[in-house]
Amino acid sequence: MTATIAPNYRRLTATEVTKTYGSGSDSVCALAPTSVSIERGERVVLAGRSGSGKSTLIKVLGLLTSPTTGTVQADDTELTDLNELEQAQFRAGAVGIVFQSFNLLPHLSARQNVALPSVLRGDDSMDHAAQLLEEVQLGDRMDRRPDQLSGGEQQRVALARSLCNRPAFILADEPTGNLDFDTEVVILQLLSKAAAGGCGVVVASHSSEVSAWADRRLDLGSVTA
């Protein structure tokens, strides 16, 4: 199997990014001005109460939504200036994203869902997908579809999928939110392994265990309309 090599970015930076929906009296601030820089190899947790902008910042860093103001850079590359195709290529090659709602394709098996990012790039990654599912303790469920898995199992599939392309950065939105304590430990160990291998890991989480696990914590302030 040929390894997928992500672009050799060393740092992902957001500078004074904000996100506002609507305009005028109907506008809603989803993310107050926020700056963060993530180095490869470190573990950063985004903390704060519900509504503080953790999920929005994950989407901004992953180029899933454009900031209203501010910039996002990978090293010296201004990501917010890239066109849609270039941004999609950045997501495919440099970041792995774990969605809070899983975003698994219902007609594919767990193994096919995990392998999908690499398959779309023309790689045969089924063996690697199977290995990742073993690591998240789903080796006996890799041929089941999402509707045959529990919420916690789907979350673990989503995490395995984020690792399949060996990304430079992992952006995870509440990756342990549906898991029991023992499985949370397994997931954090897997993320630590990714960080030790040179991946920058950003986790949005309410969990005190995740905050204690991280190298650095960024507390997002309250968001007002």
Side-chain angles (χ1 to χ4, degrees):
M1 180 178 64
T2 302
T4 300
I5 306 300
N8 195 31
Y9 296 116
R10 303 301 308 172
R11 182 184 299 108
L12 183 61
T13 304
T15 304
E16 289 295 301
V17 290
T18 69
K19 186 65 180 180
T20 302
Y21 294 98
S23 60
S25 60
D26 295 325
S27 66
V28 175
C29 177
L31 179 66
T34 302
S35 297
V36 62
S37 183
I38 303 100
E39 303 281 344
R40 291 186 65 167
E42 75 169 333
R43 302 166 299 179
V44 178
V45 63
L46 307 179
R49 66 179 181 83
S50 296
S52 59
K54 299 187 298 297
S55 296
T56 302
L57 183 55
I58 289 286
K59 292 176 182 177
V60 167
L61 289 169
L63 306 185
L64 296 171
T65 189
S66 299
T68 302
T69 61
T71 61
V72 180
Q73 290 180 295
D75 295 349
D76 296 326
T77 300
E78 180 59 70
L79 300 177
T80 40
D81 284 346
L82 302 180
N83 61 38
E84 288 186 11
L85 177 59
E86 291 169 332
Q87 290 191 3
Q89 290 172 337
F90 172 80
R91 286 193 298 271
V95 297
I97 301 175
V98 184
F99 299 93
Q100 193 170 1
S101 56
F102 318 136
N103 285 18
L104 302 178
L105 295 183
H107 61 285
L108 298 183
S109 69
R111 177 163 49 179
Q112 290 169 328
N113 266 287
V114 171
L116 186 60
S118 292
V119 169
L120 291 174
R121 298 179 64 189
D123 296 330
D124 179 7
S125 56
M126 287 299 175
D127 289 343
H128 185 44
Q131 176 189 343
L132 288 169
L133 286 168
E134 291 283 358
E135 292 188 31
V136 297
Q137 301 180 346
L138 289 175
D140 60 341
R141 288 170 167 77
M142 65 177 64
D143 293 320
R144 297 189 181 185
R145 296 188 309 274
D147 64 357
Q148 298 171 313
L149 301 172
S150 69
E153 289 168 343
Q154 291 183 58
Q155 184 68 298
R156 282 183 275 165
V157 173
L159 176 60
R161 180 182 58 189
S162 76
L163 294 164
C164 194
N165 269 351
R166 300 174 177 88
F169 303 96
I170 293 174
L171 309 174
D173 193 0
E174 296 285 355
T176 64
N178 297 299
L179 307 180
D180 59 41
F181 175 77
D182 290 340
T183 309
E184 180 179 55
V185 170
V186 170
I187 295 304
L188 293 180
Q189 288 174 340
L190 188 58
L191 289 172
S192 290
K193 180 180 177 181
C199 184
V201 180
V202 184
V203 178
S205 179
H206 290 94
S207 168
S208 58
E209 286 79 10
V210 175
S211 289
W213 159 87
D215 298 315
R216 185 157 53 92
R217 169 178 168 141
L218 175 65
D219 287 289
L220 275 67
S222 300
V223 171
T224 57

